[in-house]
Amino acid sequence: MTQLTDQPVAARLPEGADLGRAMLAPRSVAIIGASDDIRKTTARPLRFLRRQGFTGNVYPVNPRRETVLGERAWADIASLPEVPDHVFIVADTRLVVPAVRDCGRAGVPLVTVLSGGFGESAEGAERLRELLAVAAEYGVRVIGPNSIGVVNPRNGLMLTANAAFAEEGIPAGSSFVASQSGSVIGALMTRAKARGLGFSGFVSTGSEVDLTLGEICAATLDDPEVGSYTLFMESLENAAALGAFAVEAAARRKPVTVYKLGRSDAAAALAVSHTGALSGEDDEADAFFRACGFARVDNFEALFETEALQRRVGPPTAADGHRVAVITSTGGGAAILVDQLETLGVTVTRPSRTVFDRLAELGLDVAENLIVDLTLAGTRHDLVDGSLQVLRASGEFDLVLFVIGSSARLNPELAVSAIAEHAEGPVPVAAWALPDALESVRRLHEAGVPAFRTAEACAQAVAATLGRRPVDPAILRGRRTELPAGGRALDEASSAEVLASLGVRFPMTTTCGTDGVPETEPRFPVVVKALSERLPHKSEAGAVVLGVRDRAGLRDAISAIVAGVEAYDATVTLDRFLVQEMVEETVFEALVGYRVSPAVGPLVLLAAGGVYTEIYEDSSLRLAPVTVEQAREMVEEVKATAIARGFRGGPEGDLDALVEAVVRVSQLARERPDVVEAEINPVAVQPRGRGVVALDALVRLSQEK
């Protein structure tokens, strides 16, 4: 027992396992502001702790009462007989800062704050500054404010005001939940409980003014009873800490499933390029979660059902490993699942003739099809067992999905017994029951077979799990996201110099003034463009003339551009023009973009290029820099690149050179920290073996050089 003293305690800032213990396994807790009125939210934590049998010491703190819910009430933290490991502050907002100060003076390492009112107004912002100053002075770590609390079903710690935890029998499991929404932790618990699933802990992260979601998760990494993570996120404001956690979670083979709000894109489009419009907040989140090796889902039930499949499949590998078999006792149900899978980009693999021959040897008359439909034989233990053995031993599949028919509800002991026997082995088996069959789902989970209540959740889990990629620690550590204020866009010539220094190829180029006399002799035919940092989108301003074939045409082009720009914006003065060799035999036009996101740091984007880029909305995004393998994956993801693969007998483009261009542009992340945005549009992909050429460039710097 740690005794209290009257002396201030020096800052100690608990980290790692110490922080995790104080958070989830405290020897004693205190509740500041605990209410005696059972109708009030502030009475819940003490009630829940007692109902769930928390064995540590609990101290309700309320200076206005002698007792709280029949227990002795303490006047303040200083009057307690020991220093609590964890304090839950449920008092009024105006009392929070003094309470944290009292905790700091006593030596409390961790507080969770339920109250809001920090930062939403000028008064709240000042209150937040005071809170952070006091916490830093005394070394107190803070969860919240606006945190609904912390729960550990393993030891009865119910330090929460979430009403869902009032019920008894909250199951323990292996997945740790961190949620930026307080109500979600209760929703996850109740829905998972119905399926026989449990969790190793819940934390409502609240406003994350001190401890972030990533730091909270990292504090539990070495807890042997935490086997995976379930994250519910509303923002990516603290992505750096989350990325650092992802590296360590991957090293420990602890999978992460994430649900993030924001699929409807409120894109933070940058003003000077198409890249901003094509890489909004949700696209950035996708790129970030991919780099973290997380399985991202947007089906709420899949959020808590996916972790079992992730653990069964194992860590992501560089190999494909995407061969999925579907076996069923109900053809209609299997067709539903196949449709859901195909919608999410998962192609079901058709078994070979050899597989069907071996099924026939078992006495099964199964039609050769995409789906192995056992029909009524799917209720017989021996035939289900034999069929699964054939599929798993064939070497043709990486995952087998069993769709169970009506017997899942009528006779759960028959439907799941044979499937449950295939919980182990190198080829994972998972199941979905067509009827609503919670008992079957529970039995399968207990046996170690991932099981799903809906086809949508099953398909989401499969797509998200198979879509993971191995984590590259180098790209997640030390990412920069803070952008200096100000900055400027370079004109096209200066932009091309920046990108050419990375090895990006441009056409032969010269410049001239309004007199039409080029600095060096151009290679006709040429393109003539206005040269001004105020015209990032020159086509819209009439500032581009194509196919100029001689000096006379050059002068005419300059006159036309001056007139067009004056009509577009009379405040733009032109005195220089770019004269660029025309590039012919273009097979495909691409866009390669780069930007530094304030949320996740440097990103590289590949899209269909040209003037219709934003109409196509055909793009791929990654954290920068990328490897050749990652860039090749991006090229595969952009559907329009099919044009450069001999589409309908057409020529093949040099997509290997496009891959190299993406890699080179992504190196801005390492080579040019002053560049916050860059774009090449279009990149002309020429016939195979002739490379790619950047036809237009734009670069924006973070500050004047």
Side-chain angles (χ1 to χ4, degrees):
M1 178 180 297
T2 305
Q3 298 296 323
L4 289 166
T5 71
D6 294 328
Q7 299 299 317
V9 178
R12 58 175 87 46
L13 297 177
E15 301 292 347
D18 289 339
L19 176 59
R21 185 190 61 78
M23 181 169 59
L24 293 177
R27 291 162 294 192
S28 60
V29 300
I31 307 164
I32 297 179
S35 175
D36 190 58
D37 187 345
I38 61 172
R39 297 169 299 179
K40 291 186 176 181
T41 300
T42 49
R44 290 174 183 168
L46 181 57
R47 291 171 53 212
F48 296 172
L49 285 163
R50 293 313 185 199
R51 177 172 295 179
Q52 300 300 332
F54 177 63
T55 57
N57 294 327
V58 180
Y59 301 102
V61 176
N62 188 328
R64 295 179 295 178
R65 301 194 58 84
E66 292 186 1
T67 63
V68 171
L69 300 180
E71 301 189 26
R72 175 182 175 179
W74 301 81
D76 52 32
I77 290 292
S79 64
L80 301 182
E82 63 177 313
V83 179
D85 291 326
H86 192 161
V87 173
F88 193 19
I89 301 175
V90 299
D92 184 80
T93 299
R94 61 189 174 83
L95 302 175
V96 170
V97 172
V100 173
R101 182 178 289 110
D102 289 345
C103 288
R105 286 172 175 165
V108 173
L110 177 67
V111 300
T112 297
V113 179
L114 173 68
S115 313
F118 292 82
E120 293 87 351
S121 63
E123 181 183 4
E126 177 57 32
R127 191 180 292 121
L128 175 59
R129 283 191 288 272
E130 291 181 31
L131 172 64
L132 293 176
V134 169
E137 178 182 358
Y138 292 101
V140 181
R141 301 310 304 264
V142 178
I143 298 175
N146 292 305
S147 167
I148 208 164
V150 176
V151 170
N152 184 351
R154 296 171 285 163
N155 60 13
L157 178 72
M158 299 291 149
L159 210 58
T160 179
N162 188 304
F165 292 93
E167 60 184 72
E168 297 180 0
I170 296 172
S174 65
S175 192
F176 177 81
V177 175
S179 172
Q180 292 175 335
S181 167
S183 62
V184 165
I185 64 172
L188 284 169
M189 184 276 292
T190 54
R191 288 176 177 270
K193 180 180 178 182
R195 293 155 174 75
L197 297 172
F199 297 93
S200 56
F202 301 82
V203 176
S204 161
T205 65
S207 303
E208 299 182 33
V209 301
D210 177 27
L211 283 169
T212 67
L213 183 146
E215 291 172 309
I216 288 168
C217 290
T220 71
L221 280 166
D222 293 322
D223 185 333
E225 295 185 70
V226 173
S228 62
Y229 293 85
T230 299
L231 312 181
F232 184 91
M233 302 185 63
E234 297 171 341
S235 75
L236 267 175
E237 291 181 4
N238 299 299
L242 188 59
F245 155 71
V247 171
E248 299 303 323
R252 291 164 175 78
R253 299 171 65 92
K254 295 189 176 186
V256 180
T257 308
V258 60
Y259 182 117
K260 182 186 176 296
L261 297 177
R263 283 290 192 187
S264 55
D265 186 20
L270 295 180
V272 297
S273 77
H274 298 288
T275 298
L278 290 170
S279 59
E281 291 180 12
D282 195 63
D283 301 297
E284 292 180 4
D286 263 341
F288 179 74
F289 294 144
R290 180 192 294 264
C292 288
F294 295 172
R296 184 185 185 183
V297 298
D298 57 14
N299 177 286
F300 191 64
E301 297 212 343
L303 176 58
F304 56 85
E305 290 183 330
T306 299
E307 71 95 16
L309 182 64
Q310 283 208 76
R311 284 190 290 109
R312 183 65 186 88
V313 170
T317 63
D320 287 342
H322 294 172
R323 300 171 301 170
V324 178
V326 174
I327 180 172
T328 186
S329 60
T330 168
I336 292 171
L337 182 57
V338 170
D339 279 349
Q340 290 290 328
L341 291 167
E342 293 281 351
T343 299
L344 296 172
V346 178
T347 301
V348 174
T349 301
R350 182 188 178 102
S352 69
R353 177 64 182 272
T354 301
V355 168
F356 286 103
D357 288 344
R358 289 177 180 169
L359 291 172
E361 291 171 5
L362 297 176
L364 284 165
D365 183 17
V366 179
E368 292 190 31
N369 208 328
L370 183 67
I371 299 166
V372 177
D373 188 357
L374 303 179
T375 62
L376 293 178
T379 61
R380 286 183 51 182
H381 181 285
D382 58 333
L383 295 179
V384 171
D385 176 57
S387 300
L388 288 173
Q389 287 188 41
V390 168
L391 291 173
R392 299 179 77 197
S394 67
E396 298 179 16
F397 308 106
D398 304 295
L399 174 66
V400 176
L401 300 178
F402 200 113
V403 180
I404 313 170
S406 57
S407 60
R409 188 174 179 92
L410 180 63
N411 300 109
E413 71 286 351
L414 297 177
V416 305
S417 59
I419 301 172
E421 292 172 9
H422 288 264
E424 304 295 332
V427 178
V429 175
W432 166 56
L434 177 61
D436 193 15
L438 283 176
E439 179 61 27
S440 287
V441 170
R442 270 196 298 268
R443 288 177 181 238
L444 288 169
H445 277 303
E446 289 170 1
V449 175
F452 302 88
R453 190 176 184 183
T454 69
E456 292 80 6
C458 181
Q460 283 260 320
V462 171
T465 299
L466 298 184
R468 299 170 303 163
R469 295 294 182 271
V471 174
D472 180 358
I475 201 170
L476 289 173
R477 289 180 173 139
R479 295 188 64 75
R480 62 187 180 96
T481 57
E482 294 185 5
L483 305 182
R488 65 187 179 101
L490 302 180
D491 63 30
E492 185 177 344
S494 299
S495 296
E497 288 179 8
V498 171
L499 294 165
S501 69
L502 298 171
V504 176
R505 175 184 163 206
F506 285 84
M508 178 181 175
T509 303
T510 187
T511 59
C512 69
T514 54
D515 57 3
V517 178
E519 292 183 4
T520 60
E521 185 63 24
R523 186 180 295 166
F524 290 104
V526 297
V527 180
V528 184
K529 308 176 187 178
L531 202 53
S532 171
E533 65 273 9
R534 294 185 59 189
L535 296 172
H537 302 303
K538 292 181 280 294
S539 297
E540 298 173 6
V544 180
V545 176
L546 304 175
V548 176
R549 298 194 170 276
D550 52 32
R551 289 289 190 97
L554 177 56
R555 290 189 294 271
D556 291 342
I558 289 171
S559 297
I561 290 172
V562 170
V565 171
E566 184 175 5
Y568 176 77
D569 186 347
T571 67
V572 177
T573 300
L574 300 178
D575 56 12
R576 292 181 69 221
F577 301 86
L578 200 70
V579 182
Q580 188 179 75
E581 175 189 5
M582 285 278 289
V583 173
E584 299 177 335
E585 293 189 78
T586 297
V587 176
F588 171 69
E589 288 189 342
L591 177 153
V592 180
Y594 170 88
R595 61 171 292 201
V596 180
S597 159
V600 302
L603 296 156
V604 64
L605 176 138
L606 176 67
V611 296
Y612 302 115
T613 290
E614 291 175 40
I615 295 176
Y616 297 145
E617 293 187 346
D618 183 14
S619 62
S620 178
L621 189 70
R622 294 289 189 279
L623 299 195
V626 294
T627 63
V628 170
E629 291 74 20
Q630 290 166 337
R632 185 167 288 115
E633 191 175 61
M634 293 173 71
V635 170
E636 292 288 336
E637 289 175 8
V638 175
K639 298 179 183 66
T641 59
I643 295 169
R645 295 190 179 91
F647 181 70
R648 292 193 174 181
E652 293 188 8
D654 200 337
L655 293 180
D656 288 340
L658 180 60
V659 166
E660 185 62 28
V662 172
V663 172
R664 291 181 184 277
V665 171
S666 79
Q667 291 300 318
L668 286 166
R670 290 195 177 122
E671 302 295 330
R672 292 295 300 263
D674 58 323
V675 174
V676 295
E677 184 181 8
E679 184 174 282
I680 308 170
N681 184 27
V683 176
V685 179
Q686 298 191 288
R688 180 184 290 275
R690 294 183 55 185
V692 300
V693 186
L695 302 185
D696 198 351
L698 182 151
V699 169
R700 185 164 67 91
L701 305 180
S702 61
Q703 56 192 0
E704 297 283 349
K705 291 200 69 176

